[in-house]
Every structure is written in structure tokens, then in C-alpha cells.
Amino acid sequence: MGTAAELDAAGITGAALRRDYARSRALHARHGRTYYLATRILPAGRRPAVHALYGFARWVDDMVDEPEPGQTTEHTAALLENVEQDLDAALSGGQAQAPPVRALADTARRYSIPAEYFAAFMRSMRADLTVTGYADYGELSDYMYGSAAVIGLQVLPVLGTVVPRSEAEPHAAALGTAFQLTNFLRDLADDLDRGRVYLPADVLAHHGVDRELLLRCRRTRVQDARVRRALADLVALNRAVYREAEPGCAMLSAVARPCVETALRLYRGILDEIEEAEYDVWSRRHRVARSYRVCTAVPALGRALMARAFRT
């Protein structure tokens, strides 16, 4: 099903707004391969909202992580300030200037998503301009609340629940955190190139690992036994967060449940890939095989279609 059909199903009218949503969908498709595949399992009318939420987050994240050549930190901070002003105006009922903000604000209005979630996200994005490491998991968790947990909370109203939403919220937040922890482990080398380490320094130090050792592994693309042991501990921590999140799947509406179950299985599969490579995150970027993605997504699509057929 194409963009126009999804927008029709969602009741999104107006040529300009439809273009804004289409842009967010394109951002999602280009940058969020696993998430985007899982979103295809959702009913068509719910997909544009997920595209808008992901597209906005990706757009802002790219401002921070992929600045123009020669762009200063001060200039990036100014860009984020402009986004926040635009977002505040849009969420207050005004007219936004940027297409991703317009689509986001429309989605927030349609699903009554609290503005505080977007404020928390922007705080974490600003932190990336100055913070280069985290002393312990508590500090990292504070960052991940805004950068990941609130994404799960934003999406929850779109997915719908069969229990009071407050009951599902801790699991949705945990799933966002679990996804991001997986990203931090997989993308350790790339994050080092940006001068950041998104892993708890105390866990690394327990195994005799510091930033210099990580940089040496990055430079030589050779794993170190101390790093391997530290990453094994962090993979175990990541799996525990997935276990915390997993009960939330059963709390989602029947038509949305297969989508989230698919995303969880696919993303947790990245940890399997990291383990099978003996925690070598230096020589390649780990992702689940296309065959595994298809084998996971197709049965989920069947479950989603059955749920739609018998939805009351």
C-alpha cells in the first residue's frame, strides 16, 4: 500500500499536510529499516502517525549526529533552539515552519500525546552536544529516558491498548530503552568517531576498559578480551530490559501487537548477531539477515490480518 492510500486511511487531508507526512515516511523508510518493516504490519490508518513520530526524531537526531562540514557546535545548538521554538508553537496550536514538525504536531493532536515527551526528547538531543560519556547506568538511563523511553510512550497511544494505558506505559518505555541499548552496542565504533561513549563507564572499568582501549580497538579493528567481557555484561543487561518490556506486547490492541512483537524480535536478534561474532563490533555493523526479517515479518503480518478480520 502506497503513501496516498495510507494517508487516506488515516483521514489526513490537505495537500500540504499530506506532503509533510510523506516526507516523514521517506525519512522512516530510509533510516529505520527494522522499525519501518515492523510498521508495515500495522493497519494502514495508523502508519502515518508512526512515520511522523519516527521521522521527526530521525530529522533532529541527524542535525546532531550528521552536521554539515565545518558546522560548529554553537550552530547546531541554534538549529535545535529553532526546532524547539517551532515545536512549541505547533503544539500550542500555531503554524510550524518545518515539515517534520507539522506532521508531528498533527499526530500529537490526533492522539493526545503529551507535549512533555517531546520536550524530554529535545533535552537529550541537546545533551549530545556537550556530553561525551556516562559514569554509570543511572546517568545513561536519564539520557535514554528522553532519547528512547519517551519514543515508546509517544507511540503507545497510536498503537492502542487493551488495558489502562498507564499499565502499559512502563513496558513501552522499557522497549524504547532496550532498542537504544542495542543501538549503543552495535554502533559503539561509530559513536566513538563522534567522540561519544554511550556505555556505563563503571561497567567498562570493572573489566579494565577505558576510552583509550576502545579507541585502540576502533583504530585496529581488533577485539580485546577485556572489551569482550564488558560487552557481554552489557548484552546481558540489554536482554534484561527486553524481558522487562516483553509483557507489554500482550497489553497492546490486537491489530498492533504483531507489529511490536516483530520489532522486538528483530532488534533482539541484533544481540544474537553480536554474541555470535564474540562481541566484535569493530569489523562490521551487525544486523539481522534479510531472510530472518522476512521469516519474522510474514507470520506477523498474517496474525495482524487475522486480528483485523475479527476486530469488533
Side-chain angles (χ1 to χ4, degrees):
M1 180 178 289
T3 305
E6 290 178 358
L7 295 172
D8 290 343
I12 296 168
T13 59
L17 186 59
R18 286 168 72 91
R19 286 194 296 271
D20 296 338
Y21 271 97
R23 175 170 175 171
S24 293
R25 185 182 192 263
L27 282 167
H28 193 179
R30 184 163 66 250
H31 294 288
R33 182 178 303 180
T34 300
Y35 298 137
Y36 183 78
L37 175 61
T39 303
R40 307 305 298 156
I41 301 169
L42 281 176
R46 302 194 194 188
R47 294 175 202 164
V50 178
H51 296 325
L53 293 168
Y54 184 92
F56 173 80
R58 181 77 258 178
W59 176 63
V60 175
D61 193 61
D62 282 349
M63 286 185 189
V64 177
D65 285 350
E66 306 292 342
E68 296 293 328
Q71 183 171 301
T72 65
T73 299
E74 291 74 19
H75 182 62
T76 303
L79 291 176
L80 293 180
E81 178 66 25
N82 289 339
V83 170
E84 288 192 271
Q85 292 176 0
D86 206 22
L87 182 60
D88 288 345
L91 294 176
S92 300
Q95 180 61 42
Q97 300 301 310
V101 177
R102 291 194 294 265
L104 178 78
D106 184 71
T107 288
R109 178 184 59 78
R110 289 171 183 267
Y111 290 95
S112 301
I113 302 173
E116 65 195 60
Y117 293 160
F118 306 111
F121 173 76
M122 294 304 298
R123 283 196 298 274
S124 287
M125 294 301 97
R126 287 198 304 273
D128 277 336
L129 299 181
T130 56
V131 180
T132 60
Y134 296 87
D136 53 36
Y137 188 67
E139 280 191 9
L140 184 62
S141 293
D142 289 342
Y143 169 81
M144 289 191 296
Y145 173 77
S147 64
V150 295
I151 306 298
L153 295 171
Q154 291 168 20
V155 173
L156 192 59
V158 179
L159 301 177
T161 62
V162 294
V163 299
R165 189 182 300 168
S166 60
E167 188 176 339
E169 284 175 344
H171 303 287
L175 188 58
T177 299
F179 287 158
Q180 184 153 75
L181 277 172
T182 301
N183 281 338
F184 289 162
L185 289 161
R186 179 190 61 186
D187 298 335
L188 176 56
D190 290 340
D191 290 331
L192 276 168
D193 292 344
R194 299 184 179 105
R196 307 184 203 130
V197 177
Y198 293 107
L199 300 176
D202 60 342
V203 175
L204 298 176
H206 177 73
H207 294 280
V209 178
D210 58 14
R211 186 181 291 255
E212 288 305 313
L213 179 56
L214 295 175
L215 287 169
R216 189 177 77 193
C217 291
R218 173 54 171 161
R219 185 173 62 254
T220 63
R221 297 190 177 186
V222 175
Q223 181 66 293
D224 182 282
R226 292 164 291 179
V227 176
R228 183 184 300 113
R229 289 191 292 269
L231 295 184
D233 275 1
L234 292 167
V235 166
L237 170 63
N238 197 170
R239 290 195 184 281
V241 182
Y242 277 113
R243 289 194 294 273
E244 181 184 347
E246 199 161 15
C249 292
M251 300 177 185
L252 300 174
S253 64
V255 294
R257 201 173 302 146
C259 165
V260 177
E261 290 172 340
T262 297
L264 190 155
R265 290 190 183 112
L266 290 175
Y267 240 76
R268 193 162 52 188
I270 296 172
L271 295 182
D272 297 336
E273 295 292 322
I274 292 173
E275 284 182 323
E276 289 175 11
E278 297 186 351
Y279 307 97
D280 174 14
V281 296
W282 313 109
S283 60
R284 64 187 177 94
R285 189 174 190 265
H286 295 283
R287 54 170 57 92
V288 294
R290 179 180 177 84
S291 58
Y292 181 80
R293 294 200 302 269
V294 171
C295 289
T296 301
V298 170
L301 178 58
R303 294 194 299 274
L305 292 172
M306 289 291 290
R308 290 175 218 174
F310 290 99
R311 181 174 53 184
T312 58

